[in-house]
Amino acid sequence: MILIRDIEYQEIVTKSAIQIENGTDYQILWNKHTIENCWFNYKQIKIPSNTLIALNPNDVFHLPDGAQKLYRISFNQPKEESIKSFFNTAFCNQVNEFYSLFKIKNKEIVNEVDHIVRQIKLSFFNTKNTPYFKTHYLLNLVICLLHAKFLDTVDLKVTQFKKLFSFEEKETHFVKYYGNQLNTPPKELLRQFTKKGYNKPSAIINNFIVLEAQKKLMASSLSVKEIGFELGFDDPAYFSRFFKKYAGISAMEFKKNHKQLLININNESIGK
């Protein structure tokens, strides 16, 4: 029997800006109302009402100033190999984006998510409920997430492509590596992505390498050179040019700008 441990429930009611740094847990946020000017993995976005937000470990999510209410369920990745792939698929970022959020358009699914979140909430106040009860409702919530996701991204090959991302070795920077893993020639991958309206596979790879670099810049004390080495770049100068090309600014400018963003968020919170 599957048991997911350390499931936690929290209602986030904000009257000032807050930051959620995911750390080692997975999290699902259920947002009922439109939120303007969020920052998700260093990109400014608008989140519509009735949206499920999937946070992977080390994702960064900033809520703006203003009264907001979200429901947050966090948990550790299950140990059972049989279900790891299920969760990895659900939490894999959207193909063209740096984050996972899915608008629920079907009213019946909205009602189902509301019901599941209520049941998870009640389970924390009812001592008779076992950990398996919480696991049951969490799995149902992830199924709703998958349902919303595959209405948006129905191509399994594309999802498998994203799940393979790992940039420690230089060979993983190239489409050929992923084509070999998926038994699909690079030209065929390009054709499939173009047909679905996605970016080129090479562009997606490069953008996600930069995202990994951004996370490391903000979450560690590593130098730009050291981060480049961790991501498979032998030449620090080339890595610096690569980062600036795809991020639009240098690595040090990025770190300075987003440190200031965090300072502003903290100051807003203290000011309240």
Side-chain angles (χ1 to χ4, degrees), residues 39-54:
W39 287 84
F40 199 161
N41 284 339
Y42 314 111
K43 303 293 180 183
Q44 194 168 21
I45 61 172
K46 174 181 177 180
I47 299 180
S49 60
N50 297 327
T51 297
L52 280 169
I53 304 162

Side-chain angles (χ1 to χ4, degrees), residues 61-79:
F61 183 70
H62 304 291
L63 279 170
D65 183 18
Q68 312 288 348
K69 185 173 183 178
L70 291 90
Y71 304 91
R72 174 165 64 172
I73 295 93
S74 62
F75 55 95
N76 291 328
Q77 187 182 57
K79 296 180 179 180

